Structures are given as C-alpha cells and as structure tokens.
C-alpha cells in the first residue's frame, strides 16, 4: 500500500496530529464492525468504499477534494459526541466508525429533506432520470420533502452564467453541492465557477458575474461530468450516440474514420513535441502527410468547439506536426512480426491497398501489390491535382511504407481476382473507383465530353487535350472542383461549374469552393443540365457537345427511380461549351470477368468482414463503398488487413493495437494562468506559435474520460460488505486523481487553509457578500447576524424569522444546514408570523434548528478555535477536534432562535395556534381580543 | 467479453414490475438476473406515490366500503368486459396480500387514499422517512425495499445494461442478448424471460404509429427518458401478438403545469372551460378525473381547451382557498399567484429548465394569457368571441339558478364579474403508454394464435391491457398496482414454468 497517496493532503504528512499516522503508513480501524486497513491520510469514506461499505454521499466525488457540505456521509465515531462527515475526516488507528445509526440517519434524512425543499418534484422531464444521484439517494434514504415548506429559487436566471451552445442549464435542479465549482477550480485550475449570492439566496454562478461565454471557461465539460443531478448537462446533439462512451465523448476522434487519437496529438503539438504527435498519428494513419494536406477532415465536423465558435484546424495542425517530425521517432516502435510463410496479393496501390499491404507485411505475410498504372499511389497520384497535393509528399510517403519490404508491381493489371486467389493465400481487392459514371446527358459519343475522373488523371499527367475557351463542369464534389480548377489553371478562358446542390449543401469542402471562386470559376449551384446541343465531329467520327441547357432546381430527391426534381419553369439557361466534364459520380472499373460478385455501380460485394464471394479474397476502399475519401480508404485498408490476418491464422490484434507512444496520465489542468482561450480559428499553421495558438483552442474533451463515475448504492461493489475490493472497490485506492492533482501546488498553499489562494474562491465570495456583513469566507472571519431584539417592542417570532433569513443570506452556500436549514426555518417562521403556521411547525423548527445549532450533531465548537470556524465548507481532512457541521454563524443563529422561541413560548404558540400576535406588532394580525380591551358598551338611544 | 451470464429467469427492466418479478421469483429460489438500462431501479414508478389494493388492512381500519367483488364488478362495468376478467380477478384477489408482502420487507404505508373526491380510496400511499404527509415520489421507497430484498435473495442487477433481443432455441426462450455498460455485447442465458420495460412513453414515433398522436403538437405526455419501447419491440419481433396500446391520458398546460404549481392548480379548478368555439363541452366538476378530462379535450378542435377566470374569481380563491386540492401538489391557496404569474410572463419557464423537453413552439407559445377585455382574450387565444360572450352570459346566469346544460353543482359555478381575465390552454397529456402485447392471467405472452410463447412473460405497463380504452382513475393506484401485482404473478409463474415445463 506504499503507493497510496492522500489526495486531500497532496501527499504531505499531516504532521503533529496524534494518531493519524504518516502518509505511507497503514492504519487499522473498524467500520460497522468490519476490520478495515487504509493508508494514513485517507478519509473514512474512501476506506469504507474500498471495503464495499456504502456510505451515502452527494457533494463528495472521488476525484474532487471533499467539502463536507451535504451531510449525507455523516457517521459516528466511538468515543466522540455527535456525527462527523466521513468524506473529510481522516482514518485513525483504532477508530471505530458506525455508518448506520439513528443519529446518522436523522442527520442524513433531514439534510436531504432540506435539499429537496427547493428541488423540483417533477423528475419526469429530467434527462438524467434513473441516472441521478439525488434521485438515487431519495430512494435509498426513503425521504421526500413533504413536511417542509417549498422553497422557490429566484436566481436561476443567473446560475452558471446564462445560456451557451454547449452546456444546457436546468438551474432549478441544482442542489449547490459545489462539485462543478471544485472541478473547475481544483481539477482544471480554471476557476470559472464559484458560489455566489443575491438577495439572500446562494447559487452557483460565474466569477465576476459575467456569462460563461465571457468567462475563462474552457468548456471541457468537467462540471457536467461531476454534476450529480440534471442541473448542468451537455447540450443534446454534441456527442454521437450509439457508440462506446470512450469514443462518443471525444467527438473528433469518433468522427475520424480511423479514430485517430486527435486530442493527444494536438496536445503534443501544443507542447512543441512534434515527434510524439506524429507517433500518435502514425498509429492509425499510413499517409499522415498527404492527409495533412487533403483530408476531408470529418474530425473537424465532429469537433465540439465547432458548436461554440469554429472547429479546430485539425488537418492543418497535422500537416505542421508531420513536417516537423524530424527523425521519425515512431519508426523504432513499429511492431514487425516474424514471417508467417503466407503470401498475400493486393490489387491496387492506392491509399487503401498500400495501407493493407504495409500492415500485412508488418504482420509477417509476404505481400505483393499489383498496380495497373505506371506509378503507385492511386488517386493520390492520379486523381488529386498536383496544385493541391505535391507529388513529392505522396512519393515520400509511399517510399516510407515500402521500407516495410512489400513488392509493388506497377503496370500490371489483374484481370481475375478468382485466379489470383489460387496463387496467393489471401487477396485484397482495393482497385478504387476509376471509371466515370455515364452521364445522364447523351454525350457518351462526344469526344469533348470527358468523365471527371479521367479529366483529373489527364491533368495530373499534364496530358490535357485542347479544351477550347469554354469549359463546363457538371458536379459539386471534390472531383468536379479539381477538374474545374485544373481546367482554369491549364488556361481555359471561362470555366463554369453546374451542380444540383445549393451552395450550402455542396459536397466539396468550403475551402475548395472559395478558392475556386477566387480563381474566377463561375459556380451555378442549385441547377441541373436537362439538355445538350450536339454537332457532328469535324473528323466525321461521332459528335461533339456545342452547349448544355440548365434549369434552376427548387428541390430534388434520389428515389428508387433515380433523380426526381422540382424545377423552376422558365429558368432554362444555355451554356455554350467547348469541353464538357461530367464529374457526377464514379464507378468501379470491374466486370464479371473479374470473378467476384458485384453490386451497385460494379462495387465488390462483401460481408461485414470485408470478405468477397471467393474465399480468401477480401475487398476494401472505394471498390466496396464507391467514392470516398483518402482517410476512409486508409481506415478500411486497416480493417481489411485485420481480417486477412485473421483469415491467415493471425490473431487479428496487430493492426489496431499499435502503440507508438506510451500514454502517461493526462494532465487534468487546463487553466494555465494565461487567461482566456483563444477564440478565432486559424487555417494558416505556419510556425510553432501558430500551431500552439491553434491547438490551445482544443476543448480537451478526452479529459472527461479520466473522471471516475460515482458508485450508486446498488452498485455491485457494495454487495460484499467488509471485503476489500482491491482496485475495483474504489477508484481512490489506485488514486486516479494523482495525475489530476499533481499540479495543484501551482495554485495552493499548504494545509487546511490552502484553498484560500485559489482564484475565484474566497476573494470573490467576499466581494459578493461584501455589503451584507464583515468579511465572510470559509476559513475567514465569521459573519455576524446582527438582528437585535427589544423585548418590550419586538415580536420574538418575527425577530426569529429575521435572524433565520439573515443567516440564510449570510450562508456561503456550501453547507446544507445553514443554507437550506436556515432558509427553511425562515420560511416556516414567515408563515407563523403571517398566520399560516401549523402546529407541527413547533416540532419541525426544533428539529431543524437543533441540527443546525449542534453542527450536524457535533458538540458546540470550542471557543477560540481558529481556522475551522466555517466547518461546513472547510477543505482538507479534518483533525480529530475539527468540526464538520454547520458554520459558527449558523450555529449561533440557530441557537439564538431556539432560545428566543423557548423563552417566549407563549408568543410562539400564540402565533401558531391562536393566530395572534401577543405583542400586537405583526401586521397580519388583528389586535388581540380580551382583557386588555374595554368591554363593548350597549349602544345608547338618541 | 464479460463474465458468463446465466440464470433461471432474466428480467428485462428493473422498474416497478421488473424488480417485483425478480423478488417474487427469487423468493421461490430461482436464480435471477435483472437487466436495467439506468443506474437506479424503480423506473418511472419512482415518480409515483403508491398503488392499488382492495380489502387491505388499511381499508378495513379506515372502514372503506369496497369489497373485492364490488371492485371487480365496477371494473368490468367500466371496461364493458372487453378485458381479461381472469387477469383482473387474479390481480384484485392478490392486491391486499401484496400490501402485506411488501410490508413484511420493511415498507410502511400511510393509508388508503382517494385520488379525487369521487374516486375510491384504493391508493395505498407509501410513507416517507420522518414524515406523515403524502409526498410526491414517495414510492421510490418501495423500490429501495424491493431492491434490497432482491439483493438479499442474490438477484444480480446489471445496471447500465441494455437488452437487445430475446433468444430462442427449439421454439423456447433461451436467453437475452445484452449490451453491458462497457459497450460489450454478449448473450445471457436463461430458461424464462420476463419483459417489463414500461412501454414507449419516450418514443414519439411509436406514439404516432400506435396511437395517432403527434407528440409536442396534440399530445404533451411525460417522456421519461429511456422508456422507448425496447421490450415491446423485442416481444413483437419474437412473435408476440400485438394488442392495441392506449395512452394513459391526462391534460396539461405546457410551460405552466409542473413549473408554476399555483398557476397550474388555479387554472385546473372546476370553473368555466370552453373550446376554441367558445362553447362549454364538459361538466367541469369532473376536471379532477384527469383521464375523463383528457378524453373530452381530445375531442375538441385542435385538441385544446381553455379555462377562463377573472379577478373576481381570484378574489374568491384568495378569501376561501381553492376548491380542488390534490395532496400530491398540495396547493391550497393562491398566495403565490402574483409571484408566479410575473415569472411566467417574464419567460422564466426557460430558465428553470423544467420545460426543457417541450418543443420550441411550446416554449414560445404562452399557454396562460392575461387580458383586460374578452376581445383581447379571444384575440390572444383564438377563441370565438361571439360564442364566448354568449357562453359567459349563460354561465353567469346559471350561477344564479342552475347549470341546465351539464348539471355542474352550483358551488362550482363562479360567475365572471370583472377585473382582468385569465385563460389557460389545456392539451391532452399522459403518463405513458399502456399495453402492447397479449398476455393471459399467468402473464404468459401469447402468439397470434393465442398460444403461449414458451418461457416468455411480460408484466407491468408493457402488458397492461386491463383498462380498455381509458385508464380507470376511479380506482386510483392502478398503474403501479398492476405493475407490482403482475410482476409478482409473472415471477411466480415463470419459475413454475422453469420447474415444471422447461426442466
């Protein structure tokens, strides 16, 4: 147990406290009769959980520092009066703890009732129904608020800094546990949230009273993650559904077809550790440099930041990192398995085929790649224009991959996969989509009508025919834009692009569209060609296109019968055309002679393991899916490699499990003292500073996965009470928060009062409540309730009400007893004052006030004890004599009220039972009838 | 792949019915696994307060004049004998014993209550700790008790776990395909499956397909997260005969009800209610029977109705309190009227977060309007002004004589005498769906030919077809009553099958 570190004490020994032991020591204690061993410095709650002993808790969260405010974890310790909160009381040698006694039940139940008094009873509209810790505790404790006054919250509009696109607020559901405040300050070091107060009511707000958007909030979601109720939630639609949580919570990674560990390589890039960043990229990407230039960046569409302002420039950051990789540290980490003796043929040397080849060769299989063209690279070489992707990059990447030792046979077209399957142990068909779909215009016999994919290839080979002055391109995808821009660059006078989709729905990247417009290309979106005028070719063979006619399309749909359109009558427009390029779809250049069962557009039919109709033959990439992107080809190449490896008797683990950089613990701290996150997206990642600035925009969604889940009372861990649960029993035992807390020292001092230095805590509280009393903060001066009582003239019940109301207003908001207890007392007394009291109020008030006065059942605090005057909000573990009840302010206020009411019992009962104010000062009451007044006289006669 | 999962009985859904079924089967020594999607048992019933029983010891002590026979006769008259009489009898016969059964596990009840004045006191409200007042959500106590009992009986409750489909072997149930909290999918093996997933109240498409309502437009029912019809879809896929599901209807004012309790309760008093044509269509005395009122509103144009009061009526409430008081909301006075109205009109519904599940349109639409004149009121609500004027004349006249149109008791006819006018729109709402598969009195799920599917049981709301077209609020506590009692039946019968037929 030597590696156990006290979270709350930051590993520092709690010196000089008898019996508590040094950190690293193990103490033995008894909890509910079970013998429990725990590292010194651990809290009773942690020790109990580790042994499967459930203690209810609400403000406590395993990764956060304890606050002791909710009183749910109240326990009794043998030989000590009252109860203590288990979350912030340290274990001690020989301690005997009881978690379920009449007294602890009473403290918990009343505290929960007090919290429920202002919580909506309507759970049915709450998204966390059945996943709510409060609901779960209600069930466990069997408590509802029915005997208490309903408290209406008035500061909901201010809570958590107003509306924003990422965090959904339901402030009525907030119970002020402060987990979000602590997560933001202590875990993330940001400190955007704090307890605030207005009009006598505490709420969780944003520092300086600004909105969350104006604040230093990093939108990391830690607050949402730790919220026990539905008070703060993720805005629906940000995270994908139906995928595993570890992917879903990192939407960029989830959206990337190869599931690249994006947040991590962004982090390393931010730190200037480019080799590390590239190592992470390389685990999933065989062509990171090319992808850094031309990736369709689905990741950016997933980026959570996109909902806030603009997504990160993930692709351009990737390019920068790859270009600054240096020696390529990842190379030494690549796993190469011993030769398996199996031979594999890959058909097609595009990104998909080469990816499969590289992995399969790595896994010990002897791979030969067949490529029909002169050079490998597929669409990287023959499709994407050279002005977009430098061929040096592609050749370099293919060179790197080739070092693995597979053979590429160029200029060899495979005519039958079935035949190949007889010669090799496994075959991967990754031939791409090399043929243009026939145009729906009748132009197939026209020499000047060219399929887009062929036009693009000619452009890459510098072999474009004479295009004339007017070039018309049909289509709105990347290929269409490549063709249009290629034509323009090759000297066409006027290039027009006609596409069915409206501008906002065009398939091409915004960047491509904007560049095309800048280059002078005319874009006619939301139009479709319906006719073309043809002439006879001059040489007499076939015909040629003279012009095309397009109409405006109001709407369209693709149904089983193909395209259906609603066109605008009279919108026909004729475009004279010297060359027509139709980039309206691609087909797979295969037919039945290839020996495989084919599907739509000649794609290869496969099962879910990518196996084609002939055993041992697998297919992947565009050949299966139709035209997709490079990154999808790479991802599918990996999938094919995995399945072929399995087919060849491998274990299938070698492809997706490559690790080129060991993952240490994540740094949980986001606040770096540098202030607000940069807002504007930068496309131009030209130097280290630009890369740093852009990567600093990352919201670090992945950090949420490091926050452990709270165990509900029904959790399997609590079924074996008293049995050590090892690492599974309580996340605290393996100290997952160690990493999280390692930088706490940046902001904090030592010991009990350490939190005072955290930005956004004590200072703000003082400012916030500065006009209501003397300096008021946890660990600071005790605020004073200054309601006087003049026995001759004041009504004691009304005075009691005023004391309760002021005490509630002075509460820092952390502790249920002074916050909700005094608010409840004020509400009850307010009813009593105005004649709506009930007999049960006497007992109810007594119960609540006694609880507040005695500090959750503690002995009255010792006079002169400094440093823990505000025990309810005290941070750090309490020593044996420290209080963990309500604060001194509330204790004395509750005591005053009890004393006032008991010494003026007649007035109190008079208010409740007779609805009379004996002092005749409470406005609601008529003057008391009786002996004080003169008897009414009989009316006389005139 | 997680550890091997195998048991005699697997219960899908740890709500009221499922957890009860698990305890029942486990008490008879079955090994039981419960598959629960959430992290808490009790499901939708955590919102409830108690459940139906007849001839319970509480009713005897309270001298309630209702016998099993009378309740059965009443129930069958109410449903026109269109429901399974054997199942109704078995349910009612067992109901009082179920009260004793859960009390033996440590639960306490406050007593038998009515839901509204004309209903029978059959609603056994669960006691909460430290309080003798009926409390919303009190029934969650029951599920703590049952869950602890289940744990004692070594029932394995798998939280955050979803059932995908029911597996069969040789025409008999053989297991359930599940997806665990970690996202792993695996088969859990068993001899009998009890499906208790609580219907499809949170599935607008199924609501539309099965009941014709468009959620958010002409229906504003509760949507308890996760109640999306998992179980029904699994059973239908397994060949279960489909029965017509119905909505457990009530009525609501989106953005008002459940957010501003005083506004809501005040506008749900048995005062004047009209449709868009400005005509009365209901004896408002029955407004506390929310099912009947929901039915009546559903018949009106655009499925909407308005209650209208004015300051003179408010003054009456100020002086004497409200006429109808429900003890779950427990609003007796209009003390908070001004405060809530101010907040409502300032648009603070949004800030509370409580109307988050309501649609954008609802959030923008004000359900409660204030007007100085009838013309303005009609302008804001779309009610026919001419008809409304006549209706109010007739209504005010009735206040001096009698309601010859619908025979509403005189004490509820409060004339509109002046001051500001307030109108509140009421739309059909509901607690969720009821029914969907055909079962017999052993809670065995039947196929289209009326034969049981061996090893397949369903209970609770998925199987609740005993109310016919409208939930029976006159015998309150019936939804949870059926859930708990049918769960208990299913638990016993499933084990009986495992012991005597499957083995």
């Amino acid at each position: 147990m030597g590696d156990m570190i006290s979270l709350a004490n930051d590993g520092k020994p709690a010196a000089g406290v008898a019996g508590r032991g040094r950190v690293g020591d193990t103490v033995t204690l008894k909890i509910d009769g079970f013998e429990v061993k725990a590292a010194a410095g651990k809290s009773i709650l942690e020790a109990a959980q580790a042994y499967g002993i459930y203690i209810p808790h609400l403000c406590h969260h395993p990764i956060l520092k304890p606050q002791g405010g909710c009183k749910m974890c109240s326990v009794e310790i043998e030989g000590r009066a009252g109860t203590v909160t288990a979350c912030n009381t340290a274990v001690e040698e020989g301690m005997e703890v009881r978690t379920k006694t009449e007294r602890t039940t009473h403290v918990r139940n009343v505290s929960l009732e007090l919290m429920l008094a202002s919580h909506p009873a309507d759970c049915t509209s709450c998204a966390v129904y059945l996943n709510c810790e409060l609901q779960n505790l209600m069930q466990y404790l069997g408590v509802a608020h029915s005997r208490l006054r309903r408290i209406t919250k008035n500061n909901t509009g201010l809570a958590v800094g107003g509306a924003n696109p990422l965090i959904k607020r339901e402030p009525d559901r907030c119970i002020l546990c402060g987990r979000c405040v602590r997560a933001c300050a202590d875990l993330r070091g940001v400190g955007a949230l704090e307890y605030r107060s207005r009009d006598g009511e505490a709420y969780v707000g944003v520092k300086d009273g600004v909105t969350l958007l104006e604040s230093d909030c990093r939108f990391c979601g830690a607050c949402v993650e730790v919220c026990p109720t539905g008070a703060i939630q993720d805005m629906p639609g940000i995270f994908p559904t139906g995928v595993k949580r570890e992917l879903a919570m990192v939407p960029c990674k989830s959206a990337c077809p190869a599931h690249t560990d994006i947040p991590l390589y962004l982090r390393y890039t931010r730190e200037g550790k480019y080799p590390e960043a590239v190592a992470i990229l390389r685990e999933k990407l065989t062509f990171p440099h090319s992808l850094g230039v031309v990736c369709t960046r689905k990741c950016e569409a997933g980026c959570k930041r996109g909902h806030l302002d603009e997504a990160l420039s993930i692709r351009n950051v990737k390019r920068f990192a790859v270009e600054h990789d240096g020696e390529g540290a990842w190379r030494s980490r690549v796993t190469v398995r011993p030769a398996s003796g199996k031979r594999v043929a890959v058909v097609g040397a595009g990104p998909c085929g080469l990816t499969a080849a590289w992995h399969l060769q790595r896994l010990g299989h002897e791979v030969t790649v067949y490529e029909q063209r002169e050079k490998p690279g597929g669409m990287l070489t023959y499709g994407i224009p050279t002005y977009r992707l430098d061929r040096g990059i592609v050749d370099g990447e293919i060179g790197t991959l080739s070092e693995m030792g597979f053979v590429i046979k160029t200029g060899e077209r495979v005519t039958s996969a079935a035949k190949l399957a007889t010669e090799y142990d496994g075959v991967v068909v990754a031939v791409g989509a090399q043929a243009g779909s026939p145009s729906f215009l009748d132009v197939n016999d026209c020499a000047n009508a060219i399929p887009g994919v062929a036009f693009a290839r000619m452009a890459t080979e510098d072999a474009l025919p004479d295009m004339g002055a007017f070039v018309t391109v049909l289509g709105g995808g990347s290929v269409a834009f490549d063709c249009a821009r290629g034509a323009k660059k090759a000297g066409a006078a006027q290039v027009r692009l006609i596409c069915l989709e409206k501008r906002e729905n065009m398939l091409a990247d915004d960047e491509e569209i904007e560049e095309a417009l800048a280059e002078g290309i005319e874009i006619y979106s939301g139009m479709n060609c319906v006719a073309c005028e043809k002439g006879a070719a001059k040489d007499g063979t076939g015909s040629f296109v003279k012009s095309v006619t397009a109409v405006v399309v109001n709407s369209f749909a693709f149904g089983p019968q193909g395209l259906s359109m609603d066109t605008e009558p009279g919108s026909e427009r004729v475009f004279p055309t010297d060359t027509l390029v139709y980039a309206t779809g691609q087909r797979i250049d295969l037919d039945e002679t290839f020996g495989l069962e084919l599907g739509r557009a000649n794609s290869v039919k496969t099962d879910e393991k990518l196996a084609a109709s002939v055993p041992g033959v697998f297919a992947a990439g565009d050949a299966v899916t139709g035209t997709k992107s490079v990154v999808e080809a790479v991802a599918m190449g990996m999938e094919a490699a995995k399945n072929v490896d399995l087919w060849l008797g491998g274990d299938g683990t070698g492809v997706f499990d490559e690790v080129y950089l060991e993952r240490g613990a994540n740094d949980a701290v986001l606040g770096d003292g540098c202030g607000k996150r940069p807002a504007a997206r930068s496309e131009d990642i030209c130097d280290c500073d630009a890369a740093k600035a852009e990567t600093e925009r990352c919201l670090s969604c992945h950090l949420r996965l490091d926050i452990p889940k709270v165990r509900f009372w029904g959790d399997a861990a609590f079924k074996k009470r008293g049995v050590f649960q090892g690492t599974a029993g309580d996340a605290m035992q393996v100290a997952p928060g160690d990493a999280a807390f390692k930088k706490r020292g940046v902001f904090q001092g030592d010991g009990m009062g350490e939190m005072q230095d955290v930005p956004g805590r004590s200072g703000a509280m003082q400012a916030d409540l500065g006009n209501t009393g003397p300096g008021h903060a946890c660990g600071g001066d005790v605020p004073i309730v200054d309601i006087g009582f003049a026995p001759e003239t004041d009504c004691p019940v009304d005075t009691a009400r005023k004391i309760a109301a002021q005490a509630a207003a002075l509460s820092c908001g952390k502790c249920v007893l002074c916050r909700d207890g005094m608010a409840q007392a004020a509400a009850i007394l307010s009813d009593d004052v105005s004649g709506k009291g009930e007999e049960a109020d006497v007992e109810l008030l007594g119960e609540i006030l006694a609880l507040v006065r005695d500090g959750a059942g503690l002995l009255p605090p010792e006079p002169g004890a400094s440093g823990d005057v505000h025990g309810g909000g005290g941070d750090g573990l309490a020593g044996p004599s420290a209080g963990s009840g309500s604060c001194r302010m509330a204790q004395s206020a509750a005591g005053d009220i009890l004393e006032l009411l008991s010494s003026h019992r007649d007035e109190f009962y008079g208010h409740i039972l007779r609805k009379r104010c004996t002092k005749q000062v409470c406005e609601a009451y008529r003057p008391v009838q009786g002996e004080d007044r003169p008897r009414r006289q009989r009316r006389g006669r005139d | 792949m997680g550890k091997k999962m195998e048991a005699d009985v697997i219960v899908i859904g740890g709500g009221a019915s499922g957890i009860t079924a698990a305890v029942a089967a486990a008490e008879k020594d079955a090994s039981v696994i419960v598959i629960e999607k959430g992290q808490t048992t009790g499901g939708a019933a955590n919102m409830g307060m108690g459940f139906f029983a007849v001839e319970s010891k509480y009713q005897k002590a309270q001298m309630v004049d209702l016998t099993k026979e009378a309740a059965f006769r009443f129930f069958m008259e109410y449903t026109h004998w269109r429901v399974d009489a054997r199942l109704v009898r078995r349910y009612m016969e067992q109901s009082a014993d179920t009260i004793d059964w859960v009390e033996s596990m440590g639960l306490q009840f406050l007593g038998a209550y009515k839901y509204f004045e004309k209903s029978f006191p059959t609603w056994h409200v669960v006691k909460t700790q430290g309080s003798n007042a009926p409390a919303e959500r009190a029934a969650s106590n029951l599920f703590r008790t049952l869950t602890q009992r289940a744990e004692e009986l070594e029932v394995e409750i798998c939280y955050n776990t979803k059932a995908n489909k029911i597996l069969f072997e040789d025409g008999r149930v053989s297991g359930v395909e599940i997806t665990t909290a970690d996202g792993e999918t695996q088969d859990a093996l068993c001899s009998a499956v009890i499906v208790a997933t609580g219907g499809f109240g949170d599935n607008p498409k199924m609501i539309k397909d099965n009941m014709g309502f468009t959620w958010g437009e002409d229906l504003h029912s509760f949507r308890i997260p996760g109640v999306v019809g998992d179980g029904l879809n699994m059973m239908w896929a397994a060949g279960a005969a489909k029965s017509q599901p119905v909505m457990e209807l009530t009525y609501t004012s989106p953005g008002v009800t459940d957010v501003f309790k005083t506004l809501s309760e005040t506008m749900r008093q048995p005062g004047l209610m009209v449709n868009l044509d400005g005509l009365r269509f209901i004896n408002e005395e029955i407004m506390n029977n929310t099912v009947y009122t929901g039915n009546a509103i559903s018949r009106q144009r655009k499925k909407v109705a308005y209650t209208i009061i004015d300051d003179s009526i408010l003054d009456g409430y100020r002086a004497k309190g409200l006429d109808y008081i429900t003890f779950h909301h427990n609003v007796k006075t209009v003390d908070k009227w001004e405060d809530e109205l101010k907040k409502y009109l300032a648009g603070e519904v949004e800030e509370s977060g409580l109307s988050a599940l309501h649609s954008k349109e609802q959030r923008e639409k004000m359900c409660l309007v204030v007007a100085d004149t009838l013309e303005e009121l009609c302008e804001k609500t779309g009610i026919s002004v001419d008809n409304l004027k006549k209706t109010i004349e007739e209504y005010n006249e009735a206040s001096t004589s009698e309601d010859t149109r619908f025979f509403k008791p005189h004490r509820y006819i409060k004339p509109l005498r002046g001051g500001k006018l307030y109108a509140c729109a009421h739309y059909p709402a509901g607690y969720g769906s009821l029914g969907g598969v055909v079962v017999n009195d052993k809670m065995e799920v039947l196929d289209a030919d009326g034969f049981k599917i061996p090893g397949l049981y369903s209970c609770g709301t998925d199987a609740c077809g005993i109310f016919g077209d409208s939930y029976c609020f006159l015998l309150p506590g019936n939804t949870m009553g059926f859930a708990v009692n049918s769960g208990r039946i299913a638990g016993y019968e499933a084990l009986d099958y495992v012991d005597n037929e499957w083995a």
Side-chain angles (χ1 to χ4, degrees), chain B residues 118-176:
Chain B
K118 292 281 194 301
S119 62
F120 295 98
T122 53
W123 192 22
H124 290 68
V125 171
V126 175
K127 183 184 180 317
T128 54
Q129 297 297 316
S131 173
N132 287 319
E136 284 179 277
R137 303 174 289 185
S140 67
N141 249 321
L142 167 63
F143 305 112
R144 191 266 328 284
T145 305
L146 285 164
T147 304
Q148 284 177 334
R149 179 73 182 135
E151 286 178 355
E152 272 170 32
L153 297 167
E154 294 169 18
V155 172
E156 184 173 356
I157 305 173
C158 304
Y159 292 98
N160 296 313
T161 305
K162 190 178 174 304
N164 305 322
K165 67 177 172 197
I166 301 159
L167 307 171
F168 286 85
E169 216 174 276
D170 304 328
R172 305 193 302 188
V173 163
S174 65
V176 182

Side-chain angles (χ1 to χ4, degrees), chain A residues 129 183 216 298 302 341 345 377-378 380 432 445 448 537 551 690 784 861 868 889:
Chain A
Y129 193 92
D216 196 25
K298 290 186 186 303
L380 291 172
D445 61 335
N448 66 338
V551 291
I784 295 164
D868 195 48
M889 176 275 293

